[in-house]
Amino acid sequence: MCGIVGVISKAPVNQLIYDALLLLQHRGQDAAGIVTAGPDARGTKFFMHKARGMVRDVFRTRNMRALPGTVGLGQVRYPTAGNAYSEEEAQPFYVNAPFGLVMAHNGNLTNAHALRGELFAIDRRHVNTESDSEVLLNVLAHELEVAARELPLTPEKVFAAVKSVHRRIKGSYAVVCLIAGHGLLAFRDPYGIRPLCFGESDGPDGRTVMVASESVALEGTSHRLVRDVAPGEAVFINLDGEVQAQQCAEQTNHHPCMFEFVYLARPDSVIDGISVYQARLNMGETLAQRVISTMPPSEIDVVIPIPESSRPSAMQLAQKLGKPYREGFVKNRYVGRTFIMPGQSVRKKSVRQKLNAIGCEFEGRRVLLVDDSIVRGTTSKEIVQMAREAGASKVYLASAAPPVRFPNVYGIDMPTKTELVAHGRTAEEIRQIIGADALIYQDVEAMKRAVGALQPGIKGFEASCFDGVYVTGDVSPEDFDAIQTQRVSAAQGDEEDAAARGRLALQSSSESN
């Protein structure tokens, strides 16, 4: 669930990329990076700064001054593979041949391990981190080298390289890549799982073209949304801002990620022609039908959303039920999203720091809380308890999404069964764990119909965490075992890293005293 952006302009792009990354900050808070090319007219020198942390913390004035040039790309990172705390796995990634490539990636490769072996044994390329994004970059570099053995490099040769990349890699991927001295390449997996769009603007210095994960990054930087990058399509933008596009996948089957509409994307974004806000309103309508079929609305006094993604669904649900909609929780915006925080204990502790109940909205009332989804159950359990402590006589919980029962391998941090409260449990068992007086879930097929009705051209969705169907068709039980082993190993490494940092801080403190 990373956020990526790429820009071709006639003016300096460092501030523009920074602003776009701020608009995409919700997609990743672990690390951020920007690379620019220039300052010569052909953009053959790269300037890069990346580090762990949020955008406003990673980039200071001195860092921005060190990023000249009129071409660039950036990323905010949310780790789903590799070491979450590794500074070296912050993106973008760079490789010097052919031409010089720098890349940012959003998604997750399901065959990264096999590709890593191929790159070393066959392609003679070395991958230095555990990141699947570095694997993808080296596969692209190899295929571009093969396609462009005879110069000059043309868009047709770039597209030929992307065709070969599609044949080799599996999983979900939205990619922006700078080719030194030539331009910006963007492409998307044949299923269109992860979002990618592009737009343009006309300023005093000339035309600017931007590629980004969400339309909000374009609109918030005064760009016009042109369209989404189609599944399997590659878009090449040369240094003069001329756009060429070609379908590079042998077969496409458009299945955008349903979790983008449930939780991940900003409500003011439009993804594949679907308004995220309207999708959540529609989910609220179908959820209202589930509530009515489960319990009499007369038993509900008030509907309260759990901030923030659930608000549109909660408002629509309250309207359909004819019940008051109230804001019962105040959110501390300076605490990160608990869903993407690494580690269950950190996630649990942060809930009370993140939300505070408004007592008068709960006192003596039968409250229906509405959340966008229930993944691990930790946050839900804490919030239900907070509502009781605030004086609610009854606490019901409704989820705008169906039960999350299955691991996800396409770029969302819920890959192990043991972390999912709904895996192998009935709704009643989950209700008991969470401690609510009633628990109402969205229906899977109703959710798909509610969102799909907004764009009839889309025939299906990637909803594997809800229905267990993996659209790429290459996911096996062995893959889940490997992912679980990797996560356990990474968690142990993170604990050792944290302990080492703690010892170092203690030592520094003692020395200073």
Side-chain angles (χ1 to χ4, degrees):
M1 195 193 86
C2 301
I4 59 176
V5 60
V7 180
I8 294 281
S9 182
K10 297 296 183 182
V13 296
N14 52 358
Q15 185 65 53
L16 181 57
I17 295 173
Y18 177 94
D19 293 342
L21 291 182
L22 284 178
L23 292 163
L24 297 173
Q25 184 74 85
H26 60 285
R27 299 189 67 86
Q29 300 170 352
D30 178 74
I34 293 176
V35 63
T36 58
D40 61 296
R42 300 312 300 166
T44 55
K45 183 175 182 179
F46 290 139
F47 301 86
M48 184 187 299
H49 179 70
K50 58 181 181 177
R52 287 195 59 213
M54 297 175 69
V55 175
R56 66 171 184 260
D57 301 317
V58 170
F59 299 102
R60 303 293 184 177
T61 301
R62 64 181 181 276
N63 307 128
M64 297 296 287
R65 287 174 178 166
L67 294 169
T70 58
V71 181
L73 56 82
Q75 193 225 36
V76 286
R77 181 177 186 244
Y78 157 48
T80 57
N83 186 346
Y85 289 98
S86 174
E87 190 93 14
E88 68 180 2
E89 293 191 9
Q91 295 187 41
F93 279 114
Y94 166 76
V95 67
N96 71 338
F99 307 107
L101 305 177
V102 63
M103 189 192 78
H105 161 226
N106 172 33
N108 196 55
L109 304 189
T110 55
N111 65 336
H113 180 74
L115 287 170
R116 195 181 302 272
E118 289 180 16
L119 285 168
F120 186 78
I122 301 173
D123 299 342
R124 300 296 188 264
R125 285 186 169 271
H126 176 247
V127 177
N128 200 47
T129 71
E130 295 301 313
S131 173
D132 63 334
S133 299
E134 191 185 10
V135 171
L136 198 162
L137 172 60
N138 277 274
V139 171
L140 174 62
H142 174 78
E143 298 303 336
L144 193 59
E145 193 166 35
V146 171
R149 281 194 174 130
E150 294 185 7
L151 296 177
L153 178 67
T154 62
E156 289 71 26
K157 292 176 182 177
V158 173
F159 296 143
V162 176
K163 288 180 182 178
S164 297
V165 170
H166 284 322
R167 285 192 288 266
R168 293 185 65 178
I169 65 177
K170 306 293 183 183
S172 66
Y173 48 95
V175 175
V176 288
C177 176
L178 285 181
I179 305 175
H182 292 86
L184 176 70
L185 169 67
F187 59 93
R188 195 176 178 194
D189 69 76
Y191 295 88
I193 297 173
R194 300 265 70 87
L196 194 64
C197 60
F198 70 94
E200 58 186 22
S201 68
D202 297 306
D205 297 309
R207 186 164 177 262
T208 297
V209 182
M210 176 182 286
V211 182
S213 294
E214 293 184 34
S215 62
V216 67
L218 304 177
E219 294 162 355
T221 54
S222 301
H223 288 74
R224 300 180 300 276
L225 173 64
V226 173
R227 63 177 177 86
D228 294 277
V229 177
E233 184 183 31
V235 176
F236 182 73
I237 308 154
N238 67 20
L239 295 176
D240 294 320
E242 297 170 349
V243 179
Q244 295 188 52
Q246 187 176 115
Q247 177 55 250
C248 296
E250 295 174 356
Q251 184 176 356
T252 63
N253 194 350
H254 197 184
H255 279 68
C257 175
M258 179 60 77
F259 221 74
E260 292 281 353
F261 302 101
V262 169
Y263 174 82
L264 302 181
R266 271 182 47 157
D268 46 344
S269 282
V270 176
I271 295 177
D272 292 314
I274 297 175
S275 162
V276 176
Y277 181 76
Q278 187 62 53
R280 291 174 185 172
L281 289 177
N282 287 13
M283 289 181 209
E285 288 200 21
T286 57
L287 182 59
Q289 296 169 9
R290 293 281 290 183
V291 171
I292 292 170
S293 66
T294 302
M295 61 188 299
S298 59
E299 294 186 12
I300 301 168
D301 295 323
V302 64
V303 176
I304 294 177
I306 299 173
E308 294 183 7
S309 304
S310 65
R311 281 193 175 115
S313 296
M315 285 190 293
Q316 198 71 358
L317 183 150
Q319 182 180 354
K320 289 295 179 181
L321 295 183
K323 296 296 177 180
Y325 169 89
R326 294 287 186 270
E327 291 288 343
F329 294 102
V330 175
K331 182 178 180 180
N332 180 357
R333 299 179 183 275
Y334 302 99
V335 176
R337 297 173 84 169
T338 55
F339 176 81
I340 65 175
M341 285 186 173
Q344 192 81 333
S345 60
V346 176
R347 193 176 293 110
K348 183 176 180 179
K349 178 182 177 182
S350 72
V351 174
R352 301 260 176 168
Q353 298 172 336
K354 178 181 177 181
L355 294 177
N356 190 48
I358 302 174
C360 62
E361 295 296 343
F362 293 91
E363 185 67 39
R365 291 177 171 176
R366 297 168 296 180
V367 177
L368 175 61
L369 302 179
V370 181
D371 207 350
D372 49 62
S373 60
I374 302 170
V375 180
R376 297 169 176 88
T378 307
T379 301
S380 301
K381 183 177 181 180
E382 288 292 314
I383 290 175
V384 167
Q385 184 59 32
M386 287 173 65
R388 293 197 190 281
E389 292 172 1
S393 59
K394 292 285 185 179
V395 182
Y396 314 120
L397 180 62
S399 170
V404 179
R405 300 189 184 279
F406 303 96
N408 183 282
V409 298
Y410 298 127
I412 303 174
D413 188 23
M414 53 170 100
T416 60
K417 298 176 182 179
T418 56
E419 293 179 273
L420 305 178
V421 69
H423 180 76
R425 294 188 177 100
T426 65
E428 174 59 21
E429 290 171 331
I430 302 167
R431 182 197 68 77
Q432 293 177 13
I433 292 172
I434 291 173
D437 294 297
L439 176 62
I440 303 100
Y441 273 110
Q442 178 80 265
D443 177 74
V444 176
E445 293 306 318
M447 175 188 64
K448 290 180 181 179
R449 287 194 300 270
V451 180
L454 299 173
Q455 182 53 269
I458 295 177
K459 302 303 181 184
F461 293 91
E462 195 295 299
S464 56
C465 54
F466 304 119
D467 59 17
V469 177
Y470 298 91
V471 296
T472 57
D474 64 328
V475 181
S476 67
E478 291 75 20
D479 293 322
F480 296 126
D481 293 338
I483 290 171
Q484 172 119 8
T485 300
Q486 180 192 41
R487 283 175 63 83
V488 170
S489 176
Q492 292 172 345
D494 294 344
E495 291 175 0
E496 293 172 0
D497 184 46
R501 291 198 304 270
R503 289 193 297 270
L504 182 60
L506 183 62
Q507 179 181 354
S508 300
S509 176
S510 300
E511 290 174 353
S512 63
N513 292 334

